[in-house]
Amino acid sequence: MRDAPSYHGNSYFGHHSAAAFIGDTTPDLSSGIHVGYSHRTHLGGSTQPFRSERGPYAQLWELLGSLPRRKAIVDKLVRLVLIQLNDTFDAVHEETFMRHYEEFWDRKAGCDDLDNLNLRWLSVLFIILAFGELLDCPQPCSVEAQRDCEDSSLHFYWSARKSLVIAPSFYGESPDLTRADILITRYLIYTKRISESWLTGSFAVRMAQAQGMHVDGEHLRLPKKVIETRRRLWSQLYFLDISIALALGRPNSINEKHCVSRELDNIWVDDLSNEEAAVAQPLDPQTCPTPTTLLIFQHRLARIIAQIYDMQFVASATSDPSAAYDAVLRLEDDLQRWAGSLPSYFSLVPNHRLDQQYAYLRWHRQYLHSAFHFARITLHRTFLFRPSITNRFQTSRDACISSACADLKIKLSLHSPTMADRVEAHVGAHQLSNSALILGIITVQSLHGPQTDAILSDLQSYCYQQSNDSWLNEYGLAETRVVELCIVRAMQARQTAGLSQDAVLPSVSSRSAVLLRSDPASTGTATSTYEPFGPSHAANKQMGHCPSQISTDVQSWSFNDFPELTDFTYWEGLIDNLSGLASSHDG
């Protein structure tokens, strides 16, 4: 079999398990770099060059050629990640990683030693280098230096993706590949490439399932240290899988009916031997934080998110979505109970007393808070504009404003960050949440709301911060552009209604101010109409969002359909309809 000892003994969750049930034996699968090659290729013909593009080593030579030539450079990047990110991310077991690292650099040059090269571990090294390249970029830096840093980081990222795809074909699955894919998914969340992260997260789930991680280790009588390590990996995958699926409105990969899982114990086993881990007692998460504590409360929240996910799809298929509102209120109660169960150091109104002792608490707290607000906004946004003469849906409106403002506060709190702060901040769930856009749409729809002035002021600050962030990519710029459009439409409608904007105008970004003061006929923005087959139609169709199937009529828009922010034509049409509807109500 393909060298996957992580399941139990010398077996893995696959054909060996099936053979055991039917009482028969199963032949071992061939392993290593020669899998899939003919006998002649395996032996190597006299006319075949050692580095032949058709030979079994071609892929390895290409991957090894992607590494820097100087080991000192690799040492520096690895050290940066282990020191600055590892405790926060639970990225790798440092002792094991460094043992493989030294073995890799101590290997002998030649064919025989390439046979023993751990290609699965190489994917972990490459994604570590991708993060390390970001951390190594000095702040502030020139545009050219930043571009070089981003290009180098992407180079290592693609090498990690390539080795991740190749390795299972040669050697089967392993925890290293699962860890690498989790880190790759986090990297994509950092860059706001959420659609791609859905693919890599699904791939990670399949590799974990192939190793039996969906079955708790206690049922397999595994050592305690292995049990807790597998639980941590599965917990991370479960949260990423369901939260990304909810953010995109796509199917998730994990079916809980096919899983036998248990909650993690609040114990950090990485520093313990197998014997010590077997007798170690869990700590009280209310008073004794460990790096595992985040995963305990995150997993509890993920189970609520899974219910929100199921409810959203049921509501979208129901002719009367209002009938599901009782379920929304029950889930809101579940979210509030979860928030009330948080320890004081993770509370929504936190006690920072332990932050100096445990540096990772700051970021773990932010991850939980942003995930809570993301779940709450997604739960309630369907009913944000639902009409009711009795104000039945006011709870959803208040919840959306409250959580969107809290999430926006988290985003605005990042001032002049170091690269480590930037990376740690931008792998959280707030990358999945469009809190600024939610607030922007609320201001367009509620021109006279008691909080409209304050929301507009904060949105302008957010757009200014985003527009002046040199690290912002095209996805972040697309969000900023849509939020600025909301600000402009709200201000134009308020000016038309005779409301003074003197206190608001100075903080508008230059692009928004130009749009605001320009004649709508000359700019073409205020009178633009929604074109269902505009330039972005093809791109959105590939992403599963077809604008022609999503109405921009606010009366029928339920927020279940949330297309890519890069589809500016769609959002422009929707916001124009919203501003027109609000103006007619004011009139």
Side-chain angles (χ1 to χ4, degrees):
M1 68 106 192
R2 296 187 184 176
D3 183 29
S6 61
Y7 175 63
H8 187 45
N10 292 321
S11 186
Y12 77 113
F13 207 82
H15 66 288
H16 285 273
S17 300
F21 278 114
I22 63 177
D24 199 358
T25 59
T26 177
D28 286 346
L29 298 176
S30 57
S31 65
I33 198 72
H34 301 292
V35 172
Y37 289 92
S38 66
H39 181 66
R40 172 178 169 80
T41 305
H42 190 157
L43 296 177
S46 59
T47 60
Q48 182 171 315
F50 182 66
R51 297 195 181 189
S52 169
E53 293 182 359
R54 297 180 293 112
Y57 298 105
Q59 303 287 357
L60 271 182
W61 287 123
E62 183 178 352
L63 287 171
L64 292 176
S66 299
L67 289 170
R69 294 183 179 182
R70 294 174 53 202
K71 180 177 179 292
I73 296 177
V74 184
D75 289 343
K76 178 183 179 182
L77 299 181
V78 168
R79 188 165 56 251
L80 283 172
V81 174
L82 293 180
I83 293 174
Q84 299 185 23
L85 296 184
N86 197 42
D87 287 345
T88 303
F89 281 13
D90 186 16
V92 295
H93 181 247
E94 184 172 346
E95 181 182 346
T96 304
F97 177 84
M98 291 308 299
R99 184 175 68 250
H100 287 307
Y101 183 76
E102 296 303 329
E103 290 173 356
F104 172 78
W105 288 107
D106 290 342
R107 75 190 190 282
K108 298 177 182 178
C111 175
D112 292 338
D113 213 45
L114 279 178
D115 272 337
N116 299 320
L117 181 64
N118 190 340
L119 187 57
R120 295 173 297 188
W121 173 84
L122 201 58
S123 62
V124 182
L125 176 61
F126 276 123
I127 194 60
I128 289 289
L129 295 179
F131 279 110
E133 192 67 43
L134 294 174
L135 297 176
D136 193 40
C137 187
Q139 294 295 297
C141 65
S142 65
V143 175
E144 293 76 14
Q146 178 184 325
R147 186 177 296 114
D148 289 343
C149 171
E150 290 177 315
D151 289 345
S152 298
S153 180
L154 282 173
H155 163 77
F156 290 130
Y157 157 77
W158 283 114
S159 296
R161 288 285 300 269
K162 185 180 297 184
S163 57
L164 190 73
V165 172
I166 295 172
S169 300
F170 291 149
Y171 301 104
E173 302 79 11
S174 78
D176 281 337
L177 289 179
T178 305
R179 285 187 181 276
D181 216 344
I182 290 173
L183 289 173
I184 287 172
T185 302
R186 290 185 181 276
Y187 184 91
L188 290 170
I189 292 175
Y190 164 78
T191 59
K192 288 188 77 74
R193 292 154 66 179
I194 309 302
S195 296
E196 284 185 64
S197 72
W198 179 74
L199 298 174
T200 58
S202 300
F203 191 52
V205 168
R206 295 307 182 199
M207 284 193 292
Q209 289 171 332
Q211 299 167 71
M213 289 188 187
H214 59 297
V215 179
D216 190 75
E218 283 192 357
H219 291 263
L220 308 175
R221 298 183 179 88
L222 298 178
K224 178 65 174 178
K225 188 171 183 177
V226 177
I227 290 173
E228 290 301 320
T229 301
R230 287 161 55 98
R231 284 175 179 172
R232 276 158 44 195
L233 291 174
W234 185 252
S235 179
Q236 292 181 61
L237 285 174
Y238 182 79
F239 174 76
L240 289 171
D241 179 59
I242 194 64
S243 57
I244 292 173
L246 179 62
L248 293 174
R250 297 181 180 181
N252 65 319
S253 300
I254 296 176
N255 187 339
E256 288 197 74
K257 295 179 181 178
H258 302 156
C259 301
V260 181
S261 59
R262 274 197 54 190
E263 189 173 273
L264 293 91
D265 290 329
N266 188 38
I267 181 173
W268 188 246
V269 297
D270 283 16
D271 301 327
L272 305 177
S273 65
N274 286 332
E275 294 74 17
E276 292 171 334
V279 297
Q281 295 299 313
L283 303 174
D284 181 5
Q286 294 295 326
T287 56
C288 300
T290 70
T292 307
T293 313
L294 163 71
L295 300 179
I296 294 173
F297 290 97
Q298 184 176 267
H299 193 76
R300 294 175 186 175
L301 179 60
R303 290 190 175 277
I304 302 175
I305 293 176
Q307 297 178 56
I308 295 173
Y309 174 84
D310 292 337
M311 191 217 67
Q312 290 280 35
F313 277 90
V314 170
S316 64
T318 303
S319 58
D320 182 14
S322 300
Y325 198 59
D326 289 341
V328 171
L329 296 178
R330 285 195 298 272
L331 288 170
E332 168 67 14
D333 290 340
D334 290 342
L335 286 172
Q336 294 302 329
R337 277 192 292 271
W338 175 87
S341 71
L342 292 173
S344 60
Y345 52 85
F346 280 160
S347 171
L348 296 180
V349 185
N351 183 334
H352 299 275
R353 179 174 53 88
L354 297 176
D355 284 12
Q356 293 297 324
Q357 184 177 354
Y358 304 99
Y360 55 80
L361 281 185
R362 170 194 175 190
W363 299 111
H364 286 188
R365 178 169 54 245
Q366 179 173 311
Y367 297 158
L368 289 176
H369 289 188
S370 59
F372 168 78
H373 295 308
F374 161 69
R376 197 165 179 235
I377 291 170
T378 309
L379 170 65
H380 287 285
R381 72 185 186 192
T382 302
F383 301 91
L384 187 58
F385 299 133
R386 192 77 60 190
S388 171
I389 197 170
T390 61
N391 281 336
R392 183 187 178 202
F393 305 115
Q394 187 63 35
T395 299
S396 290
R397 184 179 180 82
D398 293 341
C400 277
I401 293 177
S402 172
S403 281
C405 287
D407 187 69
L408 187 65
K409 181 179 179 180
I410 293 174
K411 295 177 179 179
L412 288 172
S413 65
L414 201 64
H415 297 292
S416 303
T418 64
M419 281 308 301
D421 289 344
R422 182 182 296 277
V423 172
E424 288 173 308
H426 291 335
V427 297
H430 74 75
Q431 291 286 84
L432 308 177
S433 175
N434 300 114
S435 54
L437 178 57
I438 298 293
L439 291 173
I441 291 175
I442 288 174
T443 59
V444 171
Q445 199 268 343
S446 302
L447 301 176
H448 300 288
Q451 299 169 302
T452 300
D453 284 337
I455 291 174
L456 280 172
S457 178
D458 284 349
L459 287 180
Q460 291 156 20
S461 298
Y462 174 72
C463 289
Y464 178 82
Q465 176 178 294
Q466 294 291 91
S467 299
N468 287 275
D469 184 359
S470 61
W471 288 89
L472 199 66
N473 61 14
E474 63 271 20
Y475 299 99
L477 287 171
E479 179 193 22
T480 303
R481 188 183 180 198
V482 175
V483 174
E484 285 184 334
L485 181 63
C486 290
I487 296 172
V488 169
R489 291 296 183 267
M491 289 183 175
Q492 287 174 338
R494 286 161 67 87
Q495 284 180 338
T496 302
L499 298 176
S500 174
Q501 294 297 308
D502 293 341
V504 182
L505 275 173
S507 58
V508 184
S509 72
S510 58
R511 178 168 50 189
S512 297
V514 169
L515 288 173
L516 180 62
R517 295 189 176 95
S518 299
D519 180 4
S522 63
T523 61
T525 55
T527 58
S528 61
T529 57
Y530 172 60
E531 300 175 7
F533 294 98
S536 57
H537 171 74
N540 281 277
K541 190 172 182 180
Q542 290 179 353
M543 304 304 251
H545 300 294
C546 183
S548 62
Q549 298 172 353
I550 303 175
S551 174
T552 57
D553 179 5
V554 70
Q555 299 288 4
S556 61
W557 186 54
S558 68
F559 254 126
N560 280 322
D561 301 311
F562 213 84
E564 293 289 318
L565 289 170
T566 50
D567 183 9
F568 186 74
T569 305
Y570 167 80
W571 288 105
E572 187 177 29
L574 175 64
I575 292 167
D576 284 348
N577 284 348
L578 278 169
S579 59
L581 182 65
S583 299
S584 65
H585 286 172
D586 291 336

